[in-house]
Amino acid sequence: YLIGYELLSFPQLKQQLGHLSLEMTRWYALNASSFQKMYREVKTERNKQQAEVLARIYNKMANKERIAGGLGLSLTDLVTKEGKLHFEKTENKRKLSSEYWETEIKANRAHIHAIAPGMYCTKRECDMRISIDLSECVDCGWDLIENVVFAETARMDAMRNLLFLHDSGELNKSAASKYIMQIRSAEKIMTDIGFEYEHFTIPAEAEAMLIDVSEVA
């Protein structure tokens, strides 16, 4: 049950149950009468939820709502250029349905996983990411961002940390680069979605710590 729901790994489960070996833990998992049934049910439910996310995002684009992320921006631009005709095409109209995406996901022709609240990646290889770098996601050709919840929270944290280190005289180049990139990336996401916010003015001393890449040979 725990393995199927991805709440524990086999080594963690072995430790929790006090088994002498991983083989013993795997034996119990493989011989659990309800495991296969539960796993199928979990996979079906996950596919359904992923399909609903994709359908929701495409419906937002059809309603002229803005989607950020590299993939979101390119899709939005395409929809804007074609106007109403875009979703009148049979293939594109089908993308507004969660049933369509369930079929695509089940056939491994589509993939999506959450990387943060309101932020999704469609690249399978990124499914195991454990940390989120907004500077990588803001223009990534695989990402879809439907709201600014995570970006705004990350921006507030970065602004607070930057100002604290600046005021305490402990700011260095590494920290300055990290927090400034996070702030700028978050603000770009907010701009792309059309969310109104007050632009953060970075202290001149912190800005001066950044390397001007235009001058790097």
Side-chain angles (χ1 to χ4, degrees):
Y1 180 88
L2 292 169
I3 297 293
Y5 273 102
E6 299 180 359
L7 298 175
L8 286 177
S9 66
F10 273 112
Q12 291 171 321
L13 187 58
K14 170 183 173 293
Q15 183 177 5
Q16 289 292 323
L17 298 178
H19 288 165
L20 297 176
S21 66
L22 279 176
E23 286 71 22
M24 180 182 290
T25 308
R26 291 195 181 98
W27 186 90
Y28 278 106
L30 291 173
N31 289 276
S33 60
S34 62
F35 179 76
Q36 291 298 328
K37 180 175 181 291
M38 178 274 297
Y39 182 81
R40 288 193 298 271
E41 290 175 351
V42 170
K43 188 172 183 179
T44 298
E45 179 61 26
R46 290 182 66 183
N47 287 355
K48 179 182 177 182
Q49 292 182 11
Q50 291 167 351
E52 289 174 350
V53 169
L54 282 165
R56 183 176 69 240
I57 289 174
Y58 274 82
N59 274 279
K60 284 187 174 183
M61 288 189 288
N63 292 327
K64 298 182 179 180
E65 295 183 48
R66 297 168 71 172
I67 303 296
L71 178 58
L73 290 175
S74 62
L75 290 174
T76 300
D77 287 342
L78 179 61
V79 172
T80 301
K81 289 177 182 178
E82 296 187 352
K84 294 182 179 179
L85 293 175
H86 183 82
F87 286 105
E88 288 181 4
K89 297 177 182 178
T90 303
E91 181 66 18
N92 293 333
K93 188 174 183 179
R94 291 170 61 195
K95 293 177 180 178
L96 301 176
S97 165
S98 61
E99 288 77 13
Y100 167 83
W101 289 111
E102 278 193 68
T103 301
E104 293 297 291
I105 292 171
K106 188 175 181 180
N108 289 320
R109 291 190 294 266
H111 171 83
I112 189 170
H113 62 271
I115 53 179
M119 296 178 61
Y120 307 93
C121 179
T122 59
K123 187 176 182 180
R124 298 177 193 279
E125 290 78 4
C126 294
D127 203 0
M128 297 304 292
R129 280 193 293 184
I130 59 175
S131 62
I132 306 302
D133 187 337
L134 285 180
S135 64
E136 295 179 2
C137 300
V138 63
D139 287 322
C140 176
W142 298 93
D143 287 354
L144 297 163
I145 304 175
E146 63 174 333
N147 62 54
V148 300
V149 173
F150 182 79
E152 174 63 349
T153 300
R155 188 178 82 114
M156 294 296 292
D157 288 342
M159 290 190 299
R160 181 171 58 251
N161 292 334
L162 180 68
L163 292 176
F164 173 79
L165 292 175
H166 175 265
D167 294 343
S168 62
E170 298 179 4
L171 188 64
N172 54 44
K173 290 184 178 181
S174 177
S177 299
K178 173 185 175 182
Y179 293 129
I180 291 174
M181 286 296 294
Q182 195 166 11
I183 293 167
R184 287 176 174 170
S185 298
E187 290 185 343
K188 185 177 187 306
I189 290 172
M190 295 158 76
T191 298
D192 289 343
I193 290 182
F195 181 82
E196 293 185 4
Y197 65 93
E198 184 177 344
H199 181 73
F200 176 70
T201 301
I202 297 170
E205 291 179 10
E207 189 84 45
M209 290 184 179
L210 297 179
I211 298 174
D212 187 352
V213 294
S214 63
E215 297 180 358
V216 178

